[in-house]
């Protein structure tokens, strides 16, 4: 993974922006409109999943946008109920039909669900689906180092990204480093701690840093990810917030300020919903 002036170049040589749009809760016709607003503000990456119940409107926004399909990157995820090789393929085809898209630009195994022991099988399905052109870039989400090594050793194919929880109260530096060692880009989910479960946007240290740079707390957190070589995927339905979020990488936080934000980490207590990937299993 390398960084150029526009974004990240992944281990499969594809180029990705520094910031993408999380789409949890962007649903229905209102959601289509909110995603179109985000595209108009400059977002080019949409992060969806079957369990966000919005693959349909994400695809609808892509079609209704004045942008060409090739200009928009759509990323979705395989649920734990379909880790069997054959099931994974059928599920992916269904997901694409729901979205009304010919291919996903990126597709991730949503959770490893280690007790079921099928994530290697699921990874083999993604490797083959990529060869068939159904998905462009393949990656994982919430994978721990041993899960990463299992799929790499079984297939010789390293995921391009690993989407993990990361925000100032749970900075997950451990997984950022583990991903980096393997040439995998870290994507930060819930970069603002999901808004209501976690008050990072109200944190005094972050507010002080924001005032110093004449930026908003949200922009400071996105920039903190950018400076760490991490792609943030904040969700926002609000056009003002969306614009702020996409315009958050045109300045450089100082090392001192980065360290102040790093110091806000609360370890395991900082997770938004206690979702430890060794314990938490997701099926939808
Ligand atoms: N792979 C996984 O297991 C996983 C798990 C969770 C999430 N995700 C992905 O990560 C994305 C982001 O995470 P999330 O949706 O949990 O939460 P988040 O991005 O951490 O926070 C979203 C909250 O922040 C607010 N917000 C956004 N921009 C703001 C700004 N500039 N100023 C003030 N408030 C702002 C939003 O309100 P407004 O809408 O009003 O702006 C919303 O309440 C998801 O949508 C999803 O795509 C993946």
């Amino acid at each position: 993974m390398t960084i150029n002036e526009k974004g990240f170049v992944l281990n499969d040589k594809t180029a990705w922006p520094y910031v993408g749009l999380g789409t949890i809760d962007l649903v229905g016709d209102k959601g289509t409109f909110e995603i179109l607003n985000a595209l108009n503000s400059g977002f080019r990456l949409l992060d969806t999943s079957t369990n966000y119940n919005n693959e349909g409107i994400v695809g609808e926004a892509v079609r209704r946008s004045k942008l060409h399909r090739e200009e928009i990157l759509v990323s979705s995820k395989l649920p734990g109920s379909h880790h069997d090789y054959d099931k994974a393929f059928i599920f992916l085809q269904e997901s694409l039909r729901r979205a009304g898209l010919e291919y996903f630009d990126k597709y991730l195994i949503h959770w490893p669900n280690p007790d079921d022991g099928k994530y290697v099988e699921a990874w083999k399905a993604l490797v083959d689906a990529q060869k068939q052109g159904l998905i462009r870039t393949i990656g994982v989400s919430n994978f721990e180092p041993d899960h990463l090594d299992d799929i790499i050793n079984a297939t010789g194919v390293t995921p391009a990204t690993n989407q993990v929880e990361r925000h100032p109260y749970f900075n997950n530096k451990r997984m950022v480093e583990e991903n980096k060692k393997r040439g995998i880009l870290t994507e930060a989910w819930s970069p603002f701690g999901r808004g209501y479960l976690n008050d990072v946007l109200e944190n005094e240290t972050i507010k002080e840093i924001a005032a110093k740079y004449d930026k908003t707390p949200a922009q400071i957190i996105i920039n903190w990810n950018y400076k760490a070589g991490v792609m943030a995927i904040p969700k926002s339905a609000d056009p003002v917030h969306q614009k702020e979020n996409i315009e958050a990488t045109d300045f450089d936080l100082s090392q001192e300020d980065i360290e102040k934000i790093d110091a806000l980490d609360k370890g395991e207590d900082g997770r938004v919903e206690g979702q430890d990937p060794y314990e938490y299993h997701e099926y939808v």
Side-chain angles (χ1 to χ4, degrees), residues 74-106:
V74 181
S75 184
S76 195
K77 311 186 185 82
L78 179 74
S81 55
H82 287 69
H83 278 190
D84 298 275
Y85 183 91
D86 291 342
K87 279 190 178 177
F89 255 89
I90 290 167
F91 194 87
L92 169 60
Q93 289 161 355
E94 280 293 337
S95 258
L96 284 167
R97 293 298 165 266
R98 269 194 296 277
L101 300 174
E102 294 295 313
Y103 63 91
F104 285 124
D105 297 277
K106 178 156 58 67

Side-chain angles (χ1 to χ4, degrees), residues 168 205-206 209 220 224 253 257-265:
T205 302
I206 292 176
I209 296 173
I220 296 300
W224 169 74
L253 278 176
D257 290 327
I258 290 170
E259 284 167 17
K260 278 188 197 161
I261 301 172
D262 286 345
L264 298 175
D265 184 61

Side-chain angles (χ1 to χ4, degrees), residues 19-22 45 47 77 163 187-191 231-235:
V19 185
L21 181 75
L45 164 59
D47 181 83
K77 311 186 185 82
Q163 187 177 114
E187 300 181 42
W189 63 253
S190 295
M231 173 200 279
I233 48 165
K235 170 263 167 184

Side-chain angles (χ1 to χ4, degrees), residues 21-24 47-48 52 77 110-111 141-142 163 188-196 201 216 218 233-238 241 244-245 275:
L21 181 75
T23 66
I24 285 182
D47 181 83
T48 180
Y52 306 166
K77 311 186 185 82
H110 204 156
W111 288 85
S141 179
N142 302 302
Q163 187 177 114
W189 63 253
S190 295
F192 304 149
R194 205 163 285 182
Y196 57 94
L201 292 172
T216 67
I233 48 165
K235 170 263 167 184
S236 178
D238 179 322
H241 289 167
E244 263 176 33
N245 297 348
Q275 291 177 321

